[in-house]
Amino acid sequence: MENLDYGIIGNCKSAALVSKTGSMDWCCLPNFNSPGVFAKLLDNEIGGSFEINTGDDYNIEQEYLWETNILSTVFDNGEDAFQLIDFMPRYSRNDGSYYAPPDIIRFFRLLKGAPKFKIIYNPRLEFAKEKTFNENKGSYIKSFTREGKYDSLFLYSSFDLDSILEEREIVLKENSYCLLAYHEKLIPQTLDRSYLKFQRTKTYWMNWSEKTTRYSHYHNEIMRSALVLKALSYKKSGAVLAAATTSLPETIGEERNWDYRFCWIRDASMVIKVMAGLGHVQSAKEFLQFIIDIIPHKDEKIQIMYGINGEKELTEHILDHLKGYKGSAPVRTGNAAYIQKQNDIYGILMEVIYQQFLQFETSLENSEELWTIVRGIVMIVEENWQKPDKGIWELRTEDRHFVFSKLLCWVAIDRAIKIGEVLRMGINDTKWKTLRADIYNDIYNNGWNEEIQAYTQSYGSKDLDASTLLMESYGFIEAEDPRFESTVRATEKELCRDGLMYRYKNKDDFGEPTSSFTICTFWLIDSLYKIGEREKARAMFDQLLSYSNHLGLFSEDIDFETKRLLGNFPQAYSHLALIETAANFSKGLVSEENFLGVF
C-alpha cells in the first residue's frame, strides 16, 4: 500500500486494520497492546495477513456501514459480486454488560453470480518471532507456536477448511463466514450465529452514534472521527489509546518510529473532553476513574503515559527481525518516553477534572478523591514549574524551559482555583492565586520574543512551535490580543508549508522534521479562524480534509510533497483536533446563516 488506505474495526478491546482491497494487515489479540497476529503492515514478507484475493477484473469499493465501525468492501466484476463485511462483535447483554470477545468476523454476502477468490490465511503469532503452524482440527483451523512463547488462534468458517489452508480457489454460492477467535469456542459456530452478531453489533454502533451531538455542517466528518475515538477506547479500564499501531514512521526511511498503543494522559484527556462535548458522558467518567485508579497515593508522581490497564513500566524493545513499514526500522514495542518529565500533563489533567465538576454529577466520595488529586497536582506544579522538561513533543535531547509546559502549569493552577470555587474550598485561594500570577508573569516576560513578535518554543529561543497556538484555547490570552494575533501570523509564516504545518523546524535528536504533524495544521486553522481569517481558515480546512484516506481517516503525519499519510494510525490526536475545528466552523456557519436569515 502506497498510502495508509486502511479502515479500522474494533470493539473497545482490540482492533484490526483492513486495507482497501480487503487484506487484514494488522491485528493484535486479545488486546490492543498484545503481540501482533497479523503485522504485514510492518513486514511485507513475514508479518502475516488475512487476504481475500480476486482476479484483476474485480472493481473494489470500500466504505463504513452508516454510522458504525463495521467495514464493507464490495468486489464486483460486472457478472459476479460479493460484499465482505468486517467487524469485531460488540453489543449489550440483557444484564447491561457488553459482549466484546477478542474475535473478528468476516461475513461474505453474495450479491450476484458466482464470485471466485482465494483466501490467503497467514497468521504469524507473537509478531512472527517464531514459526506459526496451522492445522485442520475438523471444526476449526488451529494456529499455534511451538518454540518461544506459546500462543494460539482459532479460525472457524463455513468454507472448506482445507481449501483455506491450501489456498485453493473458492466459488461463493451462498452467504458464508469466517470467524477468527483468540479463544476456542465452546459452542458450535454457524452462519446464522455470525449473522446475528453482525446485526447486534450494527445496532450497538448505530445506537451509540444516535447519542452523538449532531452538527449542521461537517457532521459526517465529526461522526467518523468520534467513531474512531470510540474504537480507540479500552472499555475495561477507561483508557484511550493514542493510536492502534506501533512503529509507523513519521517519515519513510527514518527512525522516528514509536509504539502508540498506550494511554498518553495529554492525548486521552483531550479526547475525553471532546467526547463529553459530543454527549458521551460515560466515556468521560470512565477515563476519570482510570486516572483515579493510577494515582493511589498522595505523593504518587504522574507519568506522561500508562499501559491500557494502568501499567507503569513500558520498557522499550526492538523487534529487529521485522523490516519495518516500507523498510523503516526499527520496529519498537514499549515506549521509553514513559520516564520523561513533561510538566504540561498536570494542566491537561486538571482541565479534565475541572470539566468533570462543571458538567457532570459527582458523588461525595468521588469528589473527595478528585480534590485530593487536585491538591497533589498543585503541590507538584509548585515544586516543578520553574524546572525545564522534555516538552509536549517528547524531545530526547536536553531539558528546556518550554513555553507550552509553562502554559499548562499555569492552566493547572488556574483550574485548581476554579475547582476550589466550585467546591467552595477557598482556603488556598490566596496562595494559589499568587502562584498563578507568578507563572503568568514568567511566561509573559520570558516566553515572548520581542524581536520576532511571537511567543516561541522555549525561553530565550527564536524557534517557533505550533503548540503556542493553543495559548488562547486554554484561556491564557484573548484572541483579540495583539500578541496572540502576532504569534499566529509569525508561526504560520515560519511553520506552514503549502497549507500544512511543521510542529517546529529546529533540529531535534533525529535532525530536522521532514513531515507535517496533522494536529498542528488543525491548530493553525482554528487560530486563523479566531483572529478573523475565517474564509482562509475554512479553505485550509477543506483542503486538509481532502488529504484523509478514502474512509476519512487520518494518521499522525502527512508528507509535504506527496500528501501521503504517515505515522501511527488512526491517530486519536488528529481526529480530536478535526472534531474541535469542525465544531467551531459549524457553530460559526450556523450563526452566519441565522444572521443572514434576518434580512
Side-chain angles (χ1 to χ4, degrees), residues 147-211:
E147 298 180 1
K149 183 180 178 181
Y150 177 77
D151 206 354
S152 60
L153 197 64
F154 303 87
L155 180 70
Y156 299 81
S157 181
S158 54
F159 295 123
D160 177 67
L161 298 182
D162 284 332
S163 293
I164 294 175
L165 284 176
E166 297 170 14
E167 299 179 6
R168 298 200 298 256
E169 186 174 77
I170 294 172
V171 179
L172 187 65
K173 299 179 181 179
E174 59 184 357
N175 294 345
S176 302
Y177 79 97
C178 288
L179 165 62
L180 183 69
Y182 187 75
H183 303 296
E184 183 178 356
K185 295 300 178 184
L186 299 180
I187 58 177
Q189 297 303 300
T190 65
L191 177 67
D192 288 346
R193 186 176 295 278
S194 288
Y195 185 71
L196 180 60
K197 290 177 182 178
F198 161 60
Q199 293 294 349
R200 286 175 170 172
T201 301
K202 183 171 71 170
T203 299
Y204 165 81
W205 285 117
M206 291 177 67
N207 285 337
W208 187 89
S209 295
E210 194 271 334
K211 298 174 185 176

Side-chain angles (χ1 to χ4, degrees), residues 98 206-214 223 278-280:
Y98 287 94
M206 291 177 67
N207 285 337
W208 187 89
S209 295
E210 194 271 334
K211 298 174 185 176
T212 304
T213 302
R214 293 181 179 269
M223 182 63 78
L278 290 175
H280 294 290

Side-chain angles (χ1 to χ4, degrees), residues 23 49 61 73 75 83 101 120 128 149 157 168 180 186 190 194-195 263 294 303 338 343 445 450 464 510 552 555:
S23 178
S49 61
E61 297 289 338
T73 311
F75 300 77
Q83 180 186 29
I120 312 299
K149 183 180 178 181
S157 181
R168 298 200 298 256
L180 183 69
L186 299 180
T190 65
S194 288
Y195 185 71
C263 179
I294 61 178
Q303 296 180 188
Y338 80 94
N343 293 332
N445 294 322
E450 189 67 24
L464 293 172
F510 292 98
S555 62

Side-chain angles (χ1 to χ4, degrees), residues 209-465:
S209 295
E210 194 271 334
K211 298 174 185 176
T212 304
T213 302
R214 293 181 179 269
Y215 289 86
S216 58
H217 298 80
Y218 299 109
H219 168 73
N220 291 337
E221 290 83 358
I222 291 173
M223 182 63 78
R224 178 48 51 201
S225 292
L227 284 161
V228 169
L229 297 179
K230 178 63 175 176
L232 293 174
S233 302
Y234 185 54
K235 179 67 176 180
K236 181 179 178 181
S237 68
V240 180
L241 282 76
T245 57
T246 179
S247 304
L248 296 186
E250 296 179 21
T251 301
I252 302 297
E254 292 190 2
E255 298 181 19
R256 300 172 193 265
N257 313 326
W258 319 112
D259 192 346
Y260 274 17
R261 298 171 299 151
F262 303 113
C263 179
W264 269 254
I265 297 298
R266 179 196 305 113
D267 300 19
S269 298
M270 291 181 174
V271 170
I272 295 304
K273 181 181 177 183
V274 167
M275 293 292 272
L278 290 175
H280 294 290
V281 177
Q282 189 60 32
S283 294
K285 291 182 176 179
E286 289 170 357
F287 177 70
L288 275 164
Q289 189 59 51
F290 175 77
I291 296 299
I292 293 171
D293 291 342
I294 61 178
I295 310 176
H297 306 295
K298 294 182 180 180
D299 63 344
E300 186 85 25
K301 297 297 185 292
I302 302 173
Q303 296 180 188
I304 67 169
M305 70 176 86
Y306 294 85
I308 59 175
N309 287 302
E311 299 93 336
K312 296 179 181 179
E313 293 188 12
L314 308 175
T315 306
E316 194 169 292
H317 300 282
I318 303 296
L319 303 182
D320 53 14
H321 65 289
L322 297 176
K323 293 185 299 183
Y325 178 80
K326 303 296 181 183
S328 302
V331 171
R332 309 174 197 260
T333 59
N335 197 309
Y338 80 94
I339 62 174
Q340 287 188 0
K341 176 184 176 184
Q342 295 179 19
N343 293 332
D344 64 291
I345 63 170
Y346 304 115
I348 293 167
L349 178 56
M350 198 77 86
E351 169 73 9
V352 172
I353 295 174
Y354 176 54
Q355 293 300 322
Q356 163 74 12
F357 281 111
L358 278 185
Q359 299 183 36
F360 315 128
E361 292 184 5
T362 306
S363 67
L364 178 61
E365 180 182 0
N366 187 256
S367 295
E368 290 172 348
E369 286 182 278
L370 291 174
W371 181 240
T372 296
I373 293 174
V374 166
R375 289 187 293 109
I377 291 174
V378 170
M379 290 175 60
I380 294 172
V381 171
E382 188 174 15
E383 294 173 4
N384 291 280
W385 77 268
Q386 292 175 299
K387 300 175 184 178
D389 69 347
K390 297 296 185 185
I392 183 176
W393 307 124
E394 300 172 7
L395 300 183
R396 300 191 177 192
T397 52
E398 78 282 356
D399 291 0
R400 304 179 197 170
H401 292 281
F402 288 101
V403 170
F404 186 77
S405 296
K406 306 294 186 186
L407 167 70
L408 268 295
C409 286
W410 176 87
V411 170
I413 306 305
D414 178 73
R415 303 313 190 261
I417 292 169
K418 292 176 179 176
I419 292 169
E421 292 171 350
V422 171
L423 297 176
R424 298 184 179 87
M425 304 290 288
I427 55 175
N428 293 309
D429 272 8
T430 301
K431 181 180 178 182
W432 288 3
K433 286 179 179 178
T434 299
L435 177 59
R436 178 176 64 179
D438 288 344
I439 300 174
Y440 178 92
N441 291 331
D442 192 66
I443 298 170
Y444 189 88
N445 294 322
N446 299 311
W448 176 261
N449 187 299
E450 189 67 24
E451 180 182 344
I452 60 177
Q453 290 290 294
Y455 283 103
T456 57
Q457 183 181 72
S458 58
Y459 287 3
S461 168
K462 293 183 180 179
D463 297 318
L464 293 172
D465 192 300

Side-chain angles (χ1 to χ4, degrees), residues 92-117:
S92 59
R93 299 187 179 101
N94 291 333
D95 63 1
S97 63
Y98 287 94
Y99 179 74
D103 293 356
I104 296 171
I105 292 177
R106 314 200 77 178
F107 192 87
F108 296 75
R109 174 178 282 163
L110 178 63
L111 299 180
K112 62 180 177 179
K116 300 179 179 62
F117 53 83

